[in-house]
Amino acid sequence: GNSVTQMEGPVTLSEEAFLTINCTYTATGYPSLFWYVQYPGEGLQLLLKATKADDKGSNKGFEATYRKETTSFHLEKGSVQVSDSAVYFCALSLDNYGQNFVFGPGTRLSVLP
Amino acid sequence: DVKVTQSSRYLVKRTGEKVFLECVQDMDHENMFWYRQDPGLGLRLIYFSYDVKMKEKGDIPEGYSVSREKKERFSLILESASTNQTSMYLCASSLWGSYEQYFGPGTRLTVT
């Protein structure tokens, strides 16, 4: 079946540290890949996406590259801020209608000043 | 800005009660979704709807039903609440053909 695996959290970093959150997927086809972020007390928001192999999604200093050969979509940021503290979800979608997502379990990030 | 609102942020119900969770979106989106979010399990799809009066089962529909009488409103119904339905419930909407789902803030339901 289709699934998304993320590194277990929580991840705790100091401000300005480099962030990597690993995400790998299993899919019966060619999915589109996403990172969503959930800030405390809020719903999920789309952070970035990539729809085909070798695409790089980027937003707010975060980046992720769609690696078909390793079935991965790791999230990176060069210098995290306290305001980046949130839960990050990796997700995939296999259809063209935006109706069928598979989410990973989420990784909680805490950034300390 | 797209806004997805949910009727309650916190809800406490007793076992066996009928529970209604309401979701409203203001951007004329065709698709609407109900998920439950549990620690370590991420989001799991309960039901989705791609049009008024249309619904499709997701991964975990057992114990739930839905209603979509108007395009902007999607209701999740727990016919007889049980303690294993204690969870965070998230509603989302999206345009037909768009990958981006817009989420509400969630309803934390506790069934005692």
Side-chain angles (χ1 to χ4, degrees):
Chain A
N2 304 312
S3 65
V4 175
T5 303
Q6 290 178 237
M7 62 189 290
E8 289 197 25
V11 174
T12 303
L13 295 173
S14 298
E15 206 164 22
E16 299 183 3
F18 185 86
L19 169 71
T20 300
I21 300 179
N22 290 338
C23 170
T24 57
Y25 67 89
T26 303
T28 56
Y30 300 100
S32 296
L33 300 173
F34 308 84
W35 278 100
Y36 274 80
V37 58
Q38 184 179 33
Y39 297 105
E42 298 183 15
L44 278 70
Q45 304 172 23
L46 179 65
L47 181 60
L48 52 84
K49 68 176 186 281
T51 57
K52 61 182 188 299
D54 300 324
D55 269 1
K56 178 185 281 189
S58 61
N59 187 24
K60 298 182 181 179
F62 291 89
E63 292 183 341
T65 301
Y66 189 143
R67 301 285 187 203
K68 186 180 166 191
E69 63 275 12
T70 55
T71 62
S72 66
F73 193 54
H74 304 322
L75 183 68
E76 296 181 336
K77 187 176 186 183
S79 176
V80 293
Q81 305 299 312
V82 172
S83 57
D84 293 327
S85 298
V87 181
Y88 293 82
F89 293 89
C90 187
L92 65 83
S93 176
L94 274 165
D95 67 37
N96 293 323
Y97 304 103
Q99 293 176 340
N100 216 342
F101 273 70
V102 176
F103 286 87
T107 302
R108 182 176 298 278
L109 170 66
S110 294
V111 180
L112 305 178
Chain B
D1 267 1
V2 174
K3 187 168 260 190
V4 179
T5 56
Q6 295 184 228
S7 49
S8 306
R9 294 298 297 269
Y10 300 93
L11 209 52
V12 180
K13 295 291 182 181
R14 294 194 182 278
T15 303
E17 279 193 82
K18 190 169 186 176
V19 182
F20 292 87
L21 302 182
E22 304 284 341
C23 175
V24 177
Q25 50 94 3
D26 66 358
M27 282 302 290
D28 205 34
H29 285 174
E30 291 84 3
N31 300 327
M32 295 190 75
F33 309 81
W34 275 107
Y35 295 91
R36 63 177 283 176
Q37 181 182 8
D38 298 291
L41 297 178
L43 276 69
R44 292 179 291 167
L45 182 65
I46 305 171
Y47 270 97
F48 73 92
S49 168
Y50 53 89
D51 201 352
V52 174
K53 297 192 186 295
M54 306 305 289
K55 61 185 179 186
E56 294 285 342
K57 292 180 180 179
D59 300 318
I60 51 164
E62 297 78 18
Y64 304 95
S65 61
V66 290
S67 172
R68 192 162 181 206
E69 297 296 319
K70 293 185 178 181
K71 192 174 185 180
E72 67 270 18
R73 187 180 296 270
F74 192 35
S75 302
L76 180 69
I77 303 154
L78 287 66
E79 294 289 343
S80 177
S82 63
T83 54
N84 63 12
Q85 291 178 311
T86 291
S87 187
M88 172 71 85
Y89 289 87
L90 295 173
C91 176
S93 71
S94 69
L95 276 170
W96 178 266
S98 169
Y99 294 112
E100 183 166 3
Q101 296 193 11
Y102 294 83
F103 283 82
T107 295
R108 185 166 293 283
L109 172 67
T110 302
V111 182
T112 61

